[in-house]
Amino acid sequence: MLASPLISVIVAAHDLQGQLGVCLKSILDQSFQDVEVVAVLDQSAYCPADLVDDYARRDGRLSVVRLTGVAGIGRIRNAGAERAAGDYLLFLDSDHIVRGETLQAMADRLRAAGEPDVLLFGHTRLHRRRSWPGAAAGLLAQQGSESFAPLDRPEFFGAPAYSWDRLVRRELWTGQQLAFPDGLHEEVTVVHRAMLAADRIAVLKWNCVQIRRRHTQHPAGSPDGTHFDVFGRYEESFGLLGERGALDVVAPALFTRMIRHYLFLLNLEGCLSRSERPRFFERASEHYRRYLPDGYDHPEGREGVKFQIMASGRYSALEAASLPQRARGLVSRGAALRGR
């Protein structure tokens, strides 16, 4: 193992879909060698210890962290970060792959940008043989070659808060005592805290990582987590903006991201039970009113209608607005079943 590699890739080794081997191979087979992989196993039946141990025997750049019991994704990632020795941290899951010569491109961009605290990059999502770019693709495309301070580009707080579409300097991670919490939606506040703590952020205009599942929640999940955890995450993030004196600058972008996140969870089939949906909507509507920035302009079109419904607190109106989309989903699933 390299004493101090440039990049440490922490891989949570829950492998529900049998894709971990492809993930590890995509990292270790690249021409770029200044990298370590920290694979974290708990005692879940979905962690293939034999496969991970075989990779560790064949490549000294891979080390294994073993946890007792069945751990949530927060504890898994934290354990990997504690073991990591690299200058930069990248958090991946078993159903991620690192594309082409991505690691070399990351290293080149880090050096060209003067070793920023955070490096943002693009990703794609593959589902049912279709691939599409991540939600931050437009923002990344607009950014020039210069690094920037977080409050200079507050629109990046309007992008989804993923831990796997950025490198974070380990010195920043440890200095800020960053750690993923227990529960679901664990990335939200950690990503926002890292962004706000950064002196300089840079962008690599590559789609570096491909995720091969439909939704963003990690397969490990959290033994005691619920989707209602998301409200505490955004409360903490808005509190952090207040502490940093950044509310006026960042709040409009973060507010839009928050409401989009809540609407996504309300629309995601199987995410919330029938009895949970009204309670979740009520909490989301309360957050809308609490965190609404002065002079805020909601999005246009169909999305804007749903924003207004959430502002009104009328759950029945949201259900009525969602019926056409659900009907299209049923038709689509029926056609897929007939095509099998």
Side-chain angles (χ1 to χ4, degrees):
M1 174 128 1
L2 295 165
S4 182
L6 180 63
I7 299 172
S8 291
V9 185
I10 293 109
V11 179
H14 276 240
D15 194 23
L16 272 68
Q17 304 298 324
Q19 302 178 70
L20 179 59
V22 178
C23 171
L24 296 176
K25 182 177 174 62
S26 76
I27 302 165
L28 295 170
D29 281 2
Q30 296 203 16
S31 61
F32 183 77
Q33 296 292 301
D34 196 10
V35 61
E36 71 167 348
V37 178
V38 181
V40 185
L41 298 162
D42 67 4
Q43 294 181 316
S44 165
Y46 296 107
C47 283
D50 290 346
L51 183 148
V52 174
D53 289 340
D54 182 56
Y55 270 91
R57 282 191 296 270
R58 289 187 282 128
D59 196 318
R61 294 174 298 163
L62 190 150
S63 63
V64 184
V65 176
R66 302 177 194 276
L67 302 179
T68 58
V70 176
I73 182 57
R75 181 182 165 206
I76 289 169
R77 287 179 174 148
N78 291 338
E82 289 175 8
R83 171 70 64 86
D87 296 330
Y88 288 87
L89 305 179
L90 171 61
F91 296 92
L92 296 184
D93 303 333
S94 62
D95 49 11
H96 289 132
I97 57 173
V98 181
R99 310 294 300 273
E101 291 299 303
T102 289
L103 295 177
Q104 185 63 61
M106 289 178 180
D108 292 344
R109 184 70 185 110
L110 288 171
R111 295 184 180 107
E115 299 182 346
D117 294 308
V118 176
L119 178 68
L120 306 174
F121 49 80
H123 72 272
T124 58
R125 187 177 299 278
L126 181 67
H127 178 64
R128 292 181 179 175
R129 293 179 291 186
R130 287 184 55 224
S131 178
W132 62 94
L139 288 175
L140 296 173
Q142 295 168 13
Q143 178 59 31
S145 59
E146 297 299 317
S147 58
F148 55 92
L151 299 189
D152 290 340
R153 295 297 305 270
E155 57 268 33
F156 278 100
F157 289 87
Y162 300 142
S163 60
W164 38 264
D165 63 358
R166 65 200 66 214
L167 294 178
V168 178
R169 183 191 284 274
R170 186 164 62 90
E171 187 175 273
L172 181 145
W173 187 271
T174 57
Q176 293 293 318
Q177 297 181 318
L178 297 178
F180 294 98
D182 293 330
L184 298 184
H185 307 289
E186 74 293 334
E187 295 171 299
V188 172
T189 307
V190 174
V191 165
H192 295 152
R193 190 175 292 276
M195 291 280 285
L196 285 170
D199 287 330
R200 292 180 301 112
I201 299 170
V203 162
L204 171 61
K205 298 180 185 181
W206 278 40
N207 288 327
C208 296
V209 172
Q210 182 176 83
I211 181 171
R212 294 165 292 157
R213 66 177 182 267
R214 173 62 181 89
H215 306 307
T216 57
Q217 184 180 325
H218 186 269
S222 178
D224 301 314
T226 79
H227 286 292
F228 284 80
D229 294 341
V230 74
F231 297 112
R233 309 301 186 221
Y234 282 102
E235 288 171 2
E236 188 176 345
S237 288
F238 273 97
L240 185 63
L241 293 186
E243 292 172 10
R244 300 292 177 90
L247 266 174
D248 290 344
V249 177
V250 178
L254 184 59
F255 179 84
T256 301
R257 168 46 42 197
M258 177 181 74
I259 300 304
R260 283 176 173 163
H261 197 164
Y262 295 167
L263 287 169
F264 171 79
L265 294 174
L266 281 162
N267 190 58
L268 181 59
E269 184 180 1
C271 175
L272 297 163
S273 70
R274 190 176 185 85
S275 63
E276 288 175 327
R277 285 175 56 80
R279 290 192 294 115
F280 188 96
F281 177 83
E282 183 180 352
R283 290 283 303 275
S285 183
E286 189 274 325
H287 268 199
Y288 193 109
R289 293 187 293 273
R290 188 197 308 182
Y291 295 116
L292 178 66
D294 292 338
Y296 179 76
D297 291 325
H298 59 68
E300 298 180 352
R302 183 179 180 84
E303 183 182 41
V305 171
K306 291 191 174 184
F307 270 56
Q308 293 179 72
I309 291 171
M310 186 166 285
S312 74
R314 294 172 54 229
Y315 175 69
S316 59
L318 182 74
E319 288 289 275
S322 300
L323 282 175
Q325 186 170 348
R326 291 182 186 173
R328 286 195 298 272
L330 288 171
V331 170
S332 193
R333 287 194 296 278
L337 288 171
R338 289 192 297 274
R340 286 180 180 175

